[in-house]
Amino acid sequence: MKHTIDFQPKLFTALKNYDRRKFTADLMAGIIVGIVALPLAIAFGIASGVSPEKGLITAIIGGFIVSFLGGSNVQIGGPTGAFIVIVAGIISQYGIEGLAIATVMAGIILVLLGLFKLGVVIKFIPYPIIVGFTAGIALTIFSTQIKDLFGLRIDGAVPEDFIGKWAVYFQHFDTTNLWALGIGLVSILIILLTPKVSRKIPGSLAAIILVTVASYLLKRYCGIDTIETIGDRYSINPAIPAPAGFSFNLETIRGLLPPAFTIAMLGAIESLLSATVADGVTGDRHNSNTELIAQGAANIVVPFFGGIPVTGAIARTMTNINNGGRTPVAGIIHAVVLLLILLFLSPLTRHIPMACLAGVLVIVSYNMSEWRTIRGMMKNPKADIAVLFTTLLLTVVFDLTIAIAAGLLMAVVLFMRRIMESTNISVIHDQIDMTADAESNHRDDKVEVAEGVEVYEIDGPFFFGIASKFDDVMHTMGEKSKVRIIRMRKVPFIDSTGLHNLSNLIRASRKEGIEVILSGVNPSVRETLLKAGIDRLVGEENICANIHIAAERANRLVAGKTA
């Protein structure tokens, strides 16, 4: 079968029946989303360890590519809080160039995921893992903002690790700048109270405008110059820089492969989760493979302009939907609005207090914390709770790469354990009760088997976890039978370990003069058995369509052996 690429950008479909009414709605939504994205892009850029305009460049270029090539009508792309932790970690270890290389590598991985139609597979990542690392990221983001929120005077760099960071904070809380703390707390209050006044005004934008004006007035007319602003720490370049290259070498690529893979997985999960949530609101249906290709393209291009990783942003996507955006044109307009702000208004951003941005990110981390979801999941099975808190703790104490890997490993092990517990192997002698049996021929409700015939029924997948369990059942049997029927009507699949186990059983049984008959094998399992050569080992005549044929053949074989 020929492999076809599943790449169908929604923009080109949307433009076929585009009209003035749709453009008006997209224009209003795009302007509002652009304004909402402004403070977030700046805050995410600074928190990630780059200059504020790099956050804006990411939202402009990345947001444009995601909307232009994406598989969702309403997805808004840009920098998000989820990447702050991993981006800051990569910069501290490999520098800005290392981040650029890791982001390009992540983009290539995302494109490959889309080309090989693996968009659906991402959705199967267990929910406790997603909740765990999201909550862990939220806690880590909160911890990174304490220095600016309290205006702490700390000589030297703050430690990267969570425990070391808080140890330094507790040693320096006596240096708290009350003006900075007041500005941070006021910013948080404004963000929380703004929706009660008007839901159309973004709380973060209202906080930044009001607090920046207040801070400027305090500094100019009251002589209060202890409030640190963006301009005190960064110089802002109000322009899109020319693309710059960077050197690849095998050693750097090898070292950056794990964080690049984490960026790709996190970007895929967050963007597809955002698109799925959007589908639930709009009634639309996104193309996950096209979306992954678009996300990958954005992450390949953005680093050449100094940007940071791009993904779908749930909050901005929902803002787009709530304000009438229904086609990718709204996302393109949002990118244009941010470009105009960067070119003509970015000098004003130098007056924004760092404590105000810290307050914005505190609210972002609170919204990401998923504490209500965690509280609701406490009634779930203990295995899910264990996966959730393991992922959360590893995210906080170590890093996201280790947390996702360990969470997936735990989830797989626990899943296999559940499968093993739900798979039963029963032994039947003399008579098989066919009441309510799918293989019943309605002539009778029971199938008689002769003395010397044992029937082993496997109810569940025959994989490596069950193979040893089947061996144990076989070895606990007392007197040797003359014929063994293995009833496989409820076996949905068999893996290589199951095939190996079955082959060994047939060979060992043959050596002891015991015939093995396979009954009720479904087509897919039968095909696997044929490819593995089980038919030559057991005999084609001993692979029976149902238990009636298998029992008749077993009874004849026993009669022949007895004679």
Side-chain angles (χ1 to χ4, degrees):
M1 184 177 174
K2 189 177 179 180
H3 178 82
T4 56
I5 297 173
D6 186 14
F7 182 61
Q8 301 169 358
K10 291 283 188 177
L11 176 66
F12 306 117
T13 306
L15 291 178
K16 289 179 181 177
N17 299 307
Y18 205 64
D19 55 29
R20 184 173 180 178
R21 180 182 59 80
K22 289 181 180 178
F23 175 73
T24 303
D26 286 339
L27 178 64
M28 291 305 299
I31 292 171
I32 293 170
V33 175
I35 293 171
V36 170
L38 172 66
L40 295 175
I42 292 171
F44 293 149
I46 291 173
S48 297
V50 298
S51 56
E53 79 271 12
K54 301 300 184 189
L56 283 172
I57 288 168
T58 303
I60 293 166
I61 299 176
F64 177 84
I65 294 173
V66 167
S67 294
F68 190 80
L69 299 177
S72 169
N73 276 315
V74 293
Q75 181 88 283
I76 301 295
T80 66
F83 283 113
I84 289 174
V85 179
I86 191 167
V87 168
I90 293 172
I91 290 174
S92 67
Q93 189 171 355
Y94 296 97
I96 296 294
E97 186 168 307
L99 172 65
I101 294 170
T103 307
V104 171
M105 290 167 63
I108 294 170
I109 293 171
L110 285 167
V111 169
L112 291 175
L113 287 174
L115 291 177
F116 287 103
K117 301 182 180 181
L118 296 175
V120 177
V121 177
I122 302 295
K123 298 177 183 178
F124 292 114
I125 292 179
Y127 188 58
I129 294 178
I130 295 174
V131 174
F133 73 63
T134 304
I137 290 169
L139 188 55
T140 308
I141 291 173
F142 174 76
S143 70
T144 61
Q145 299 308 304
I146 297 301
K147 177 179 180 291
D148 288 335
L149 184 67
F150 285 81
L152 303 180
R153 292 194 299 274
I154 300 174
D155 297 326
V158 178
E160 292 295 326
D161 64 290
F162 182 82
I163 296 172
K165 194 182 269 92
W166 279 96
V168 170
Y169 289 157
F170 281 116
Q171 291 171 5
H172 290 83
F173 272 128
D174 58 335
T175 66
T176 297
N177 182 332
L178 295 179
W179 282 107
L181 180 59
I183 281 175
L185 294 177
V186 168
S187 300
I188 292 171
L189 282 174
I190 292 173
I191 295 171
L192 294 175
L193 295 175
T194 299
K196 298 182 183 300
V197 178
S198 172
R199 291 195 170 273
K200 292 189 176 181
I201 301 173
S204 56
L205 183 68
I208 282 180
I209 292 173
L210 294 175
V211 170
T212 300
V213 170
S215 172
Y216 178 78
L217 294 175
L218 287 171
K219 186 174 184 178
R220 182 172 184 123
Y221 296 107
C222 301
I224 298 169
D225 56 1
T226 58
I227 302 171
E228 187 180 20
T229 63
I230 289 177
D232 296 329
R233 194 179 295 182
Y234 301 97
S235 59
I236 300 171
N237 178 23
I240 296 289
F246 33 83
S247 58
F248 284 83
N249 63 72
L250 190 60
E251 185 179 348
T252 307
I253 291 173
R254 192 184 298 116
L256 286 169
L257 190 57
F261 181 78
T262 304
I263 291 173
M265 289 300 100
L266 188 58
I269 292 167
E270 190 167 6
S271 62
L272 295 185
L273 182 63
S274 173
T276 303
V277 171
D279 287 350
V281 177
T282 61
D284 197 3
R285 189 171 182 179
H286 74 280
N287 183 317
S288 56
N289 297 313
T290 300
E291 187 63 26
L292 288 180
I293 293 172
Q295 299 288 340
N299 281 288
I300 291 171
V301 173
V302 163
F304 289 96
F305 296 89
I308 57 178
V310 180
T311 188
I314 296 178
R316 276 158 275 173
T317 297
M318 291 306 298
T319 302
N320 181 32
I321 295 169
N322 293 335
N323 286 280
R326 287 298 180 271
T327 78
V329 174
I332 292 173
I333 291 171
H334 131 271
V336 172
V337 168
L338 286 174
L339 175 62
L340 295 175
I341 291 172
L342 173 67
L343 296 176
F344 301 109
L345 299 178
S346 58
L348 297 177
T349 60
R350 65 184 304 275
H351 299 293
I352 300 173
M354 295 301 298
C356 178
L357 288 181
V360 170
L361 288 173
V362 165
I363 296 298
V364 169
S365 63
Y366 173 80
N367 292 333
M368 282 181 65
S369 66
E370 303 270 15
W371 66 269
R372 292 183 182 87
T373 303
I374 293 173
R375 186 178 65 182
M377 289 182 68
M378 295 309 292
K379 298 175 183 177
N380 288 11
K382 291 181 180 178
D384 289 345
I385 298 172
V387 170
L388 189 158
F389 282 104
T390 299
T391 308
L392 192 159
L393 290 173
L394 289 175
T395 301
V396 172
V397 177
F398 295 101
D399 62 49
L400 204 57
T401 306
I402 294 173
I404 291 178
L408 282 173
L409 181 62
M410 275 189 70
V412 168
V413 171
L414 291 169
F415 172 74
M416 288 191 300
R417 181 183 164 191
R418 287 177 185 171
I419 292 292
M420 288 179 64
E421 289 173 349
S422 63
T423 301
N424 297 314
I425 300 172
S426 54
V427 184
I428 305 166
H429 299 274
D430 305 327
Q431 208 174 63
I432 304 172
D433 187 357
M434 298 294 292
T435 306
D437 196 306
E439 289 186 340
S440 176
N441 60 10
H442 302 292
R443 292 196 304 268
D444 49 46
D445 293 323
K446 291 181 173 58
V447 173
E448 300 287 344
V449 291
E451 186 178 348
V453 176
E454 288 175 349
V455 181
Y456 298 86
E457 176 149 16
I458 305 172
D459 185 358
F462 194 3
F463 72 121
F464 63 90
I466 302 302
S468 59
K469 189 175 180 180
F470 186 68
D471 272 344
D472 293 340
V473 172
M474 298 295 293
H475 287 120
T476 55
M477 299 306 298
E479 185 180 348
K480 292 281 188 297
S481 59
K482 295 176 182 178
V483 179
R484 288 169 174 162
I485 299 175
I486 302 177
R487 201 175 183 198
M488 302 177 70
R489 65 199 175 104
K490 294 182 179 178
V491 176
F493 70 86
I494 182 169
D495 73 350
S496 56
T497 307
L499 288 169
H500 176 73
N501 176 270
L502 186 59
S503 300
N504 287 345
L505 169 67
I506 294 168
R507 289 191 182 96
S509 299
R510 283 287 175 89
K511 285 181 181 179
E512 296 175 5
I514 303 170
E515 289 285 342
V516 176
I517 297 174
L518 306 181
S519 167
V521 181
N522 73 45
S524 62
V525 174
R526 184 186 181 89
E527 186 179 348
T528 305
L529 296 179
L530 295 178
K531 286 180 180 177
I534 298 294
D535 58 322
R536 296 190 298 273
L537 196 60
V538 75
E540 181 69 34
E541 69 281 2
N542 285 341
I543 303 180
C544 302
N546 58 59
I547 192 61
H548 300 283
I549 300 171
E552 287 174 10
R553 175 157 179 77
N555 291 342
R556 286 199 307 270
L557 288 172
V558 169
K561 287 176 181 286
T562 304

